[in-house]
PDB file of all heavy atoms in Angstrom:
ATOM      1  N   ASP A 184      -1.058   4.320 -83.088  1.00 94.00           N
ATOM      2  CA  ASP A 184      -1.496   3.754 -81.832  1.00 94.00           C
ATOM      3  C   ASP A 184      -0.896   4.606 -80.702  1.00 94.00           C
ATOM      4  O   ASP A 184       0.312   4.743 -80.582  1.00 94.00           O
ATOM      5  CB  ASP A 184      -0.976   2.323 -81.700  1.00 94.00           C
ATOM      6  CG  ASP A 184      -1.373   1.659 -80.385  1.00 94.00           C
ATOM      7  OD1 ASP A 184      -2.432   1.942 -79.842  1.00 94.00           O
ATOM      8  OD2 ASP A 184      -0.606   0.761 -79.971  1.00 94.00           O
ATOM      9  N   VAL A 185      -1.720   5.220 -79.827  1.00 96.00           N
ATOM     10  CA  VAL A 185      -1.327   6.019 -78.741  1.00 96.00           C
ATOM     11  C   VAL A 185      -1.243   5.187 -77.475  1.00 96.00           C
ATOM     12  O   VAL A 185      -2.181   4.499 -77.107  1.00 96.00           O
ATOM     13  CB  VAL A 185      -2.257   7.220 -78.499  1.00 96.00           C
ATOM     14  CG1 VAL A 185      -1.828   8.042 -77.265  1.00 96.00           C
ATOM     15  CG2 VAL A 185      -2.416   8.083 -79.715  1.00 96.00           C
ATOM     16  N   ARG A 186      -0.078   5.194 -76.804  1.00 96.00           N
ATOM     17  CA  ARG A 186       0.116   4.502 -75.542  1.00 96.00           C
ATOM     18  C   ARG A 186       0.691   5.453 -74.530  1.00 96.00           C
ATOM     19  O   ARG A 186       1.417   6.379 -74.877  1.00 96.00           O
ATOM     20  CB  ARG A 186       1.064   3.305 -75.741  1.00 96.00           C
ATOM     21  CG  ARG A 186       0.546   2.289 -76.760  1.00 96.00           C
ATOM     22  CD  ARG A 186       1.526   1.156 -76.885  1.00 96.00           C
ATOM     23  NE  ARG A 186       1.334   0.504 -78.179  1.00 96.00           N
ATOM     24  CZ  ARG A 186       2.236  -0.218 -78.770  1.00 96.00           C
ATOM     25  NH1 ARG A 186       3.425  -0.431 -78.225  1.00 96.00           N
ATOM     26  NH2 ARG A 186       1.978  -0.756 -79.940  1.00 96.00           N
ATOM     27  N   THR A 187       0.443   5.190 -73.298  1.00 97.00           N
ATOM     28  CA  THR A 187       1.039   5.936 -72.186  1.00 97.00           C
ATOM     29  C   THR A 187       1.787   4.985 -71.254  1.00 97.00           C
ATOM     30  O   THR A 187       1.414   3.869 -71.086  1.00 97.00           O
ATOM     31  CB  THR A 187      -0.006   6.760 -71.377  1.00 97.00           C
ATOM     32  OG1 THR A 187      -0.948   5.865 -70.801  1.00 97.00           O
ATOM     33  CG2 THR A 187      -0.718   7.782 -72.252  1.00 97.00           C
ATOM     34  N   ALA A 188       2.890   5.524 -70.730  1.00 98.00           N
ATOM     35  CA  ALA A 188       3.656   4.718 -69.763  1.00 98.00           C
ATOM     36  C   ALA A 188       4.501   5.677 -68.911  1.00 98.00           C
ATOM     37  O   ALA A 188       4.931   6.751 -69.406  1.00 98.00           O
ATOM     38  CB  ALA A 188       4.598   3.733 -70.490  1.00 98.00           C
ATOM     39  N   HIS A 189       4.724   5.319 -67.664  1.00 97.00           N
ATOM     40  CA  HIS A 189       5.622   6.153 -66.804  1.00 97.00           C
ATOM     41  C   HIS A 189       7.045   5.865 -67.247  1.00 97.00           C
ATOM     42  O   HIS A 189       7.354   4.771 -67.726  1.00 97.00           O
ATOM     43  CB  HIS A 189       5.448   5.713 -65.388  1.00 97.00           C
ATOM     44  CG  HIS A 189       6.085   6.677 -64.394  1.00 97.00           C
ATOM     45  ND1 HIS A 189       7.402   6.584 -64.066  1.00 97.00           N
ATOM     46  CD2 HIS A 189       5.585   7.757 -63.718  1.00 97.00           C
ATOM     47  CE1 HIS A 189       7.701   7.537 -63.257  1.00 97.00           C
ATOM     48  NE2 HIS A 189       6.653   8.277 -62.986  1.00 97.00           N
ATOM     49  N   THR A 190       7.939   6.833 -66.971  1.00 97.00           N
ATOM     50  CA  THR A 190       9.338   6.613 -67.298  1.00 97.00           C
ATOM     51  C   THR A 190       9.869   5.311 -66.745  1.00 97.00           C
ATOM     52  O   THR A 190      10.646   4.616 -67.419  1.00 97.00           O
ATOM     53  CB  THR A 190      10.184   7.797 -66.747  1.00 97.00           C
ATOM     54  OG1 THR A 190       9.711   9.027 -67.298  1.00 97.00           O
ATOM     55  CG2 THR A 190      11.696   7.645 -67.017  1.00 97.00           C
ATOM     56  N   ALA A 191       9.506   4.967 -65.521  1.00 97.00           N
ATOM     57  CA  ALA A 191      10.004   3.749 -64.879  1.00 97.00           C
ATOM     58  C   ALA A 191       9.605   2.497 -65.648  1.00 97.00           C
ATOM     59  O   ALA A 191      10.272   1.478 -65.464  1.00 97.00           O
ATOM     60  CB  ALA A 191       9.471   3.654 -63.469  1.00 97.00           C
ATOM     61  N   ASP A 192       8.605   2.593 -66.467  1.00 98.00           N
ATOM     62  CA  ASP A 192       8.102   1.407 -67.245  1.00 98.00           C
ATOM     63  C   ASP A 192       8.658   1.347 -68.643  1.00 98.00           C
ATOM     64  O   ASP A 192       8.354   0.378 -69.369  1.00 98.00           O
ATOM     65  CB  ASP A 192       6.583   1.396 -67.243  1.00 98.00           C
ATOM     66  CG  ASP A 192       5.991   1.262 -65.895  1.00 98.00           C
ATOM     67  OD1 ASP A 192       6.547   0.486 -65.018  1.00 98.00           O
ATOM     68  OD2 ASP A 192       4.962   1.944 -65.621  1.00 98.00           O
ATOM     69  N   LEU A 193       9.429   2.332 -69.058  1.00 98.00           N
ATOM     70  CA  LEU A 193      10.060   2.260 -70.371  1.00 98.00           C
ATOM     71  C   LEU A 193      11.369   1.586 -70.362  1.00 98.00           C
ATOM     72  O   LEU A 193      12.244   1.864 -69.519  1.00 98.00           O
ATOM     73  CB  LEU A 193      10.228   3.764 -70.910  1.00 98.00           C
ATOM     74  CG  LEU A 193       8.921   4.512 -71.011  1.00 98.00           C
ATOM     75  CD1 LEU A 193       9.219   5.906 -71.528  1.00 98.00           C
ATOM     76  CD2 LEU A 193       7.926   3.837 -71.952  1.00 98.00           C
ATOM     77  N   ASP A 194      11.523   0.637 -71.298  1.00 97.00           N
ATOM     78  CA  ASP A 194      12.819  -0.033 -71.396  1.00 97.00           C
ATOM     79  C   ASP A 194      13.853   0.830 -72.086  1.00 97.00           C
ATOM     80  O   ASP A 194      13.527   1.877 -72.673  1.00 97.00           O
ATOM     81  CB  ASP A 194      12.684  -1.315 -72.112  1.00 97.00           C
ATOM     82  CG  ASP A 194      12.182  -1.194 -73.560  1.00 97.00           C
ATOM     83  OD1 ASP A 194      12.720  -0.372 -74.310  1.00 97.00           O
ATOM     84  OD2 ASP A 194      11.171  -1.917 -73.921  1.00 97.00           O
ATOM     85  N   PRO A 195      15.165   0.505 -71.898  1.00 97.00           N
ATOM     86  CA  PRO A 195      16.213   1.331 -72.470  1.00 97.00           C
ATOM     87  C   PRO A 195      16.098   1.614 -73.964  1.00 97.00           C
ATOM     88  O   PRO A 195      16.352   2.701 -74.490  1.00 97.00           O
ATOM     89  CB  PRO A 195      17.462   0.578 -72.181  1.00 97.00           C
ATOM     90  CG  PRO A 195      17.169  -0.268 -70.944  1.00 97.00           C
ATOM     91  CD  PRO A 195      15.694  -0.602 -71.119  1.00 97.00           C
ATOM     92  N   ALA A 196      15.613   0.610 -74.762  1.00 97.00           N
ATOM     93  CA  ALA A 196      15.464   0.805 -76.201  1.00 97.00           C
ATOM     94  C   ALA A 196      14.393   1.871 -76.494  1.00 97.00           C
ATOM     95  O   ALA A 196      14.590   2.667 -77.413  1.00 97.00           O
ATOM     96  CB  ALA A 196      15.099  -0.518 -76.841  1.00 97.00           C
ATOM     97  N   THR A 197      13.319   1.880 -75.744  1.00 97.00           N
ATOM     98  CA  THR A 197      12.223   2.852 -75.945  1.00 97.00           C
ATOM     99  C   THR A 197      12.746   4.252 -75.560  1.00 97.00           C
ATOM    100  O   THR A 197      12.496   5.248 -76.300  1.00 97.00           O
ATOM    101  CB  THR A 197      10.956   2.481 -75.185  1.00 97.00           C
ATOM    102  OG1 THR A 197      10.548   1.188 -75.633  1.00 97.00           O
ATOM    103  CG2 THR A 197       9.884   3.538 -75.449  1.00 97.00           C
ATOM    104  N   LEU A 198      13.453   4.347 -74.438  1.00 97.00           N
ATOM    105  CA  LEU A 198      13.973   5.662 -74.021  1.00 97.00           C
ATOM    106  C   LEU A 198      14.960   6.160 -75.087  1.00 97.00           C
ATOM    107  O   LEU A 198      14.989   7.380 -75.403  1.00 97.00           O
ATOM    108  CB  LEU A 198      14.666   5.528 -72.676  1.00 97.00           C
ATOM    109  CG  LEU A 198      13.692   5.458 -71.462  1.00 97.00           C
ATOM    110  CD1 LEU A 198      14.503   5.090 -70.261  1.00 97.00           C
ATOM    111  CD2 LEU A 198      12.925   6.714 -71.300  1.00 97.00           C
TER     112      LEU A 198
END
Side-chain angles (χ1 to χ4, degrees):
D184 180 31
V185 178
R186 299 181 203 158
T187 60
H189 192 278
T190 300
D192 297 323
L193 298 179
D194 60 50
T197 301
L198 285 170

